[in-house]
Amino acid sequence: MNYCNIKKTDIADGPGVRVSLFVSGCTHHCRGCFQPETWSFDYGDPFTEDTQRELLEALLPDYIAGLALLGGEPFEPDNQRALLPFLREVRRSLPGKTIWAYSGYELEELAGWAPGLGRARCEATDEMLSLIDVLVDGEFMQEKKNITLLFRGSENQRLIDVKKTKERGSVVLWGE
């Protein structure tokens, strides 16, 4: 997997100050995407053990609330496979940090609740979802763009509390 950017003090992609990892590779190709260069899986730099150590170190300070995964698309199957061991380590070594993930896929597709298997679902998906606190789901839609929304770009996107959703068996929005 490649990544295109790391922001060590991001205040736009979840509550508090976060470390944000922007992965490369996306098959959605949303009209109006704010970084279409990340559609290519070859864009940016390789996600190495050194990159992972850099991110873990950046997450250490008390003022850092957690990690945000963006893209590109973190839930492209190859990206999931690369991110899963890293997310396990974040959970193991920094259990007080929250993990937010942004995806153009909807939760119902990722979780296998929608009819048929979604193109993003793979052997890593369920565990990856279990490690995430909030999923911001849905493709960016230019015609539903709204710059006043909290932590998302278009009105169709949802901020889903993944753990509460799993407990209830239906979607629970973050903050409810």
Side-chain angles (χ1 to χ4, degrees):
M1 179 184 87
N2 281 1
Y3 72 97
C4 69
N5 194 12
I6 293 171
K7 291 184 180 179
K8 294 183 180 177
T9 53
D10 185 358
I11 59 169
D13 297 310
V17 181
R18 310 187 79 70
V19 174
S20 293
L21 171 66
F22 293 80
V23 302
S24 295
C26 182
T27 58
H28 296 293
H29 299 183
C30 300
R31 188 171 57 84
C33 176
F34 76 100
Q35 50 187 22
E37 63 276 6
T38 65
W39 296 351
S40 170
F41 287 84
D42 297 324
Y43 182 75
D45 298 308
F47 186 68
T48 64
E49 288 185 21
D50 287 340
T51 309
Q52 294 175 50
R53 278 192 293 275
E54 177 185 353
L55 287 163
L56 288 168
E57 186 175 309
L59 285 162
L60 286 174
D62 290 340
Y63 65 87
I64 298 293
L67 174 70
L69 302 172
L70 305 100
E73 172 59 68
F75 280 93
E76 293 292 353
D78 287 345
N79 291 346
Q80 289 183 61
R81 292 176 184 111
L83 287 168
L84 185 56
F86 172 66
L87 293 179
R88 286 178 187 140
E89 182 57 27
V90 171
R91 279 284 176 233
R92 187 195 69 72
S93 62
L94 300 163
K97 305 293 181 174
T98 60
I99 300 173
W100 280 47
Y102 287 73
S103 178
Y105 296 103
E106 293 182 358
L107 175 62
E108 291 82 356
E109 181 179 2
L110 292 171
W113 300 344
L117 287 178
R119 63 186 165 111
R121 236 176 117 59
C122 69
E123 73 284 351
T125 307
D126 290 335
E127 186 178 358
M128 189 160 154
L129 284 171
S130 77
L131 297 170
I132 291 168
D133 296 290
V134 174
L135 175 69
V136 183
D137 80 338
E139 290 187 11
F140 172 76
M141 294 183 170
Q142 182 71 39
E143 62 278 7
K144 294 185 178 188
K145 181 179 179 178
N146 182 340
I147 62 171
T148 67
L149 296 171
L150 188 62
F151 308 130
R152 61 196 188 279
S154 60
E155 293 172 354
N156 63 297
Q157 295 172 314
R158 304 175 293 180
L159 293 101
I160 299 171
D161 184 317
V162 177
K163 294 188 184 344
K164 287 182 181 177
T165 294
K166 186 173 181 179
E167 289 168 7
R168 186 183 292 175
S170 61
V171 173
V172 176
L173 299 179
W174 176 73
E176 285 187 358

